[in-house]
Amino acid sequence: MATEEDRVRSTSSSTQLPYQRNPSPQRKRIRVSYSDRYIPNRESVNLQAGFSLKPDSSATVERTTNRLTENELDIQRIEEANRTFSDVLRSELFGDDVPSSEQSRTPSSSNSDMVSAGSVTPPRSNPSAPSTPSRNLFTFMSPSARKTPTRQIGGATLDVENEVFSLSPVRFRSQKMLLSPRKQLRSISKVPFRVLDAPELADDFYLNLVDWSSTNVLGVGLARAVYLWNSFTGTVNKLCQLGEHDLVTSVAWLQEGKYIAVGSHRGVVQIWDAEAQRKLRTMDGHTSRAGSLAWHGHILSSGSRDKTILLRDVRAPGSYFRRLTGHKQEICGLKWSYEDDKLASGGNDNKLFVWNSTSESPVLKFTEHVAAVKAIAWSPHQRGILASGGGTADQRIKFWNTMTGRQINEIDTGSQICNLVWSKNSNEVVSAHGYSQNQIAIWKYPSMRQVTALTGHTCRVLYLAISPDGQTIVSGAGDETLRFWNVFGKGRPEYREVTLLDVVPQLR
């Protein structure tokens, strides 16, 4: 018995038979003829205007300025290659008709060109404005005669710059552009040229155990002793050793480089003559460890876990002449300014204070950091500029104008900031980092573009110092090594490794 679906199927199939016998007429196809020759419409397209309005190819390189990167040199090379390609392309397309990219981006006239003697004058025509090319771009012909250098070959005078006789695929002007000397990109070695083994170098964020003197002697505090490494001779001498239940917590050289101050876990500060290797005096006043020291002429300041800063005149018989209070926790960073009598102090209370030599209260208080402030550096190039870095919860380098009391710049580094040093030879800042990247970064100020990042330490880089000539930095970390980096020098010294164990076996 047929169902309703079978009936519908049979009905539809029967109705299709007549249409199969008489197919519907097809639409007539229109043939389109194509030519293999394309003639551009040069009147409707202004190539000069299009070339001038095209986006800058160097802008396509992606940057990350607020995080530590390691490919800044590669980015600079790509940008330089893009600029060279753009200049050569401009020369090949337009020759002398289009100015350089720098000229095309500058305004044609200033406001003074529009007003003359109190009357408004029509604006001058801009020679760099886009216009229709004066010659046929797609016609190949011999270049016109011009005054160029010639050479006598076989009795005939030949134009040595004539493109007809050139074997190069580019114009003579482009050849000169490609062969012209260019600015060499700065190359910084990512490998330390010297490594010193420093056993028992404390992995303590709040200590300051490395300092480089003006006489090129490096002072390092290891456990209970202080060692001096002479960079000229490579020799290591043991300066002093504290008592059995004491530890070295800070070292700092006098500017002249002859005397060194040593802070201890018991809060005592000693002054030593490095050349004679004898202790000159002992000064007390702190009730806990003295983790930071800073010299300013004959004035020595010391910061302690007892939350105080003591100012000491080493010429006076007393241990100190002023006590500065204001921090609520341990003082872990102290630095005197180069020109003014200003002392910057950073504490574990996340505060940055600026003091002068005549007051007992801070003249400036900066509370924007959200972690301990140990890294402090004054600019040697601009008066009153102070840089500070925060700990793990902060990870920011902030710049302050102490003349106005305002913050002028900051950058998120993405890592704990343990130390800061300002370059003496260039306007650059070196930062040492801990968790989680354990590296050294060089920043260009004030743009804060990262120049490079140096890696190699396996623990956080707590200690940082710069050589007296300003070319080399030394970094110390909890991995018990001191690494020397040729950052601001011109040459690349040969890598060699020296261990303190070979010279001072009694360290272990």
Side-chain angles (χ1 to χ4, degrees):
M1 186 175 182
T3 61
E4 186 66 23
E5 293 180 358
D6 295 337
R7 297 192 198 98
V8 174
R9 190 180 295 111
S10 61
T11 304
S12 61
S13 61
S14 61
T15 57
Q16 292 177 358
L17 292 176
Y19 294 97
Q20 292 178 357
R21 298 190 187 99
N22 300 320
S24 59
Q26 297 181 353
R27 182 176 297 177
K28 186 178 180 180
R29 295 182 179 178
I30 301 175
R31 292 179 176 270
V32 180
S33 60
Y34 296 93
S35 173
D36 59 349
R37 184 179 182 187
Y38 172 69
I39 301 177
N41 186 0
R42 302 166 192 154
E43 295 181 355
S44 61
V45 179
N46 193 329
L47 294 179
Q48 288 184 343
F51 194 91
S52 300
L53 296 177
K54 75 177 184 66
D56 189 4
S57 59
S58 62
T60 61
V61 181
E62 183 179 357
R63 285 186 174 274
T64 307
T65 56
N66 61 338
R67 293 287 176 179
L68 300 183
T69 58
E70 300 182 8
N71 58 346
E72 182 66 26
L73 260 168
D74 296 335
I75 293 177
Q76 293 180 15
R77 291 191 182 98
I78 293 174
E79 290 180 347
E80 181 67 21
N82 289 339
R83 283 192 293 267
T84 303
F85 174 78
S86 180
D87 293 340
V88 172
L89 180 62
R90 180 184 298 107
S91 174
E92 290 299 301
L93 287 178
F94 306 106
D96 299 331
D97 295 337
V98 174
S100 62
S101 58
E102 290 78 6
Q103 294 177 353
S104 62
R105 286 176 171 83
T106 56
S108 59
S109 59
S110 60
N111 295 334
S112 60
D113 296 333
M114 303 293 293
V115 181
S116 177
S119 60
V120 179
T121 59
R124 300 174 184 175
S125 60
N126 186 2
S128 63
S131 60
T132 304
S134 58
R135 61 187 181 89
N136 195 333
L137 296 178
F138 297 93
T139 299
F140 298 91
M141 62 180 66
S142 300
S144 59
R146 61 187 186 278
K147 295 182 179 180
T148 54
T150 59
R151 180 181 298 176
Q152 296 290 334
I153 300 179
T157 302
L158 298 180
D159 182 3
V160 296
E161 295 185 3
N162 198 318
E163 297 176 4
V164 175
F165 308 104
S166 176
L167 299 179
S168 174
V170 296
R171 300 173 184 267
F172 183 77
R173 178 183 176 184
S174 301
Q175 297 178 41
K176 293 177 61 178
M177 189 182 306
L178 293 172
L179 296 176
S180 61
R182 298 184 178 276
K183 181 181 179 181
Q184 295 293 330
L185 294 178
R186 178 181 175 186
S187 179
I188 299 176
S189 175
K190 298 295 184 68
V191 179
F193 67 89
R194 182 179 289 114
V195 177
L196 296 179
D197 186 16
E200 298 186 81
L201 182 62
D203 186 14
D204 194 328
F205 178 82
Y206 302 98
L207 305 186
N208 295 271
L209 298 176
V210 177
D211 196 21
W212 207 327
S213 74
S214 59
T215 57
N216 220 358
V217 177
L218 186 69
V220 184
L222 302 177
R224 296 185 295 141
V226 176
Y227 292 89
L228 306 180
W229 177 78
N230 192 314
S231 63
F232 292 118
T233 62
T235 59
V236 178
N237 297 317
K238 184 178 179 180
L239 177 66
C240 65
Q241 184 167 347
L242 304 182
E244 183 177 358
H245 301 288
D246 205 354
L247 293 173
V248 177
T249 55
S250 58
V251 294
W253 287 96
L254 184 67
Q255 287 84 349
E256 287 73 12
K258 182 180 179 181
Y259 304 104
I260 186 172
V262 179
S264 68
H265 185 78
R266 297 171 55 189
V268 176
V269 177
Q270 300 179 358
I271 308 296
W272 284 77
D273 186 339
E275 295 180 356
Q277 294 190 357
R278 63 185 181 91
K279 183 171 63 175
L280 299 180
R281 62 180 302 182
T282 301
M283 297 177 290
D284 55 10
H286 289 300
T287 58
S288 186
R289 67 179 182 184
S292 54
L293 298 170
W295 286 92
H296 182 61
H298 56 272
I299 303 298
L300 174 64
S301 58
S302 60
S304 172
R305 185 186 275 177
D306 62 9
K307 312 171 190 177
T308 64
I309 302 172
L310 297 182
L311 301 185
R312 313 170 186 270
D313 190 339
V314 295
R315 303 170 301 178
S319 294
Y320 63 92
F321 66 90
R322 184 173 292 119
R323 182 186 297 269
L324 306 179
T325 58
H327 285 282
K328 303 302 181 182
Q329 293 190 38
E330 180 176 6
I331 287 90
C332 47
L334 285 176
K335 285 292 173 62
W336 283 93
S337 62
Y338 290 92
E339 297 178 354
D340 303 327
D341 294 335
K342 291 182 179 180
L343 173 66
S345 64
N348 196 36
D349 55 359
N350 311 341
K351 303 296 190 299
L352 175 66
F353 292 163
V354 178
W355 318 72
N356 59 30
S357 57
T358 59
S359 65
E360 297 183 357
S361 59
V363 294
L364 291 174
K365 296 182 179 182
F366 301 114
T367 60
E368 284 76 2
H369 283 290
V370 295
V373 182
K374 176 192 176 184
I376 301 173
W378 290 90
S379 172
H381 311 286
Q382 190 173 355
R383 182 177 181 180
I385 301 301
L386 174 66
S388 61
T392 306
D394 188 89
Q395 303 180 356
R396 291 179 176 272
I397 302 176
K398 297 179 182 291
F399 295 88
W400 316 89
N401 188 338
T402 58
M403 310 297 291
T404 61
R406 295 181 179 180
Q407 179 180 332
I408 56 178
N409 198 358
E410 70 172 332
I411 184 171
D412 183 5
T413 64
S415 183
Q416 178 191 35
I417 304 168
C418 304
N419 223 314
L420 285 175
V421 170
W422 215 300
S423 172
K424 304 175 183 179
N425 302 338
S426 61
N427 204 6
E428 294 175 327
V429 179
V430 183
S431 58
H433 296 269
Y435 304 120
S436 59
Q437 302 184 26
N438 302 331
Q439 64 178 345
I440 302 109
I442 296 107
W443 309 87
K444 200 77 176 178
Y445 184 82
S447 65
M448 292 311 293
R449 171 186 289 187
Q450 184 184 334
V451 178
T452 189
L454 307 175
T455 58
H457 286 289
T458 57
C459 295
R460 53 182 180 174
V461 186
L462 298 173
Y463 313 109
L464 193 66
I466 191 168
S467 61
D469 61 3
Q471 297 183 1
T472 305
I473 60 173
V474 58
S475 58
D479 56 8
E480 299 184 347
T481 61
L482 296 173
R483 298 174 184 264
F484 294 79
W485 314 83
N486 190 9
V487 176
F488 305 105
K490 297 180 179 180
R492 181 177 179 179
E494 181 182 358
Y495 175 84
R496 63 190 182 98
E497 183 171 350
V498 182
T499 63
L500 285 176
L501 292 177
D502 297 334
V503 186
V504 190
Q506 65 269 24
L507 288 178
R508 286 294 189 187

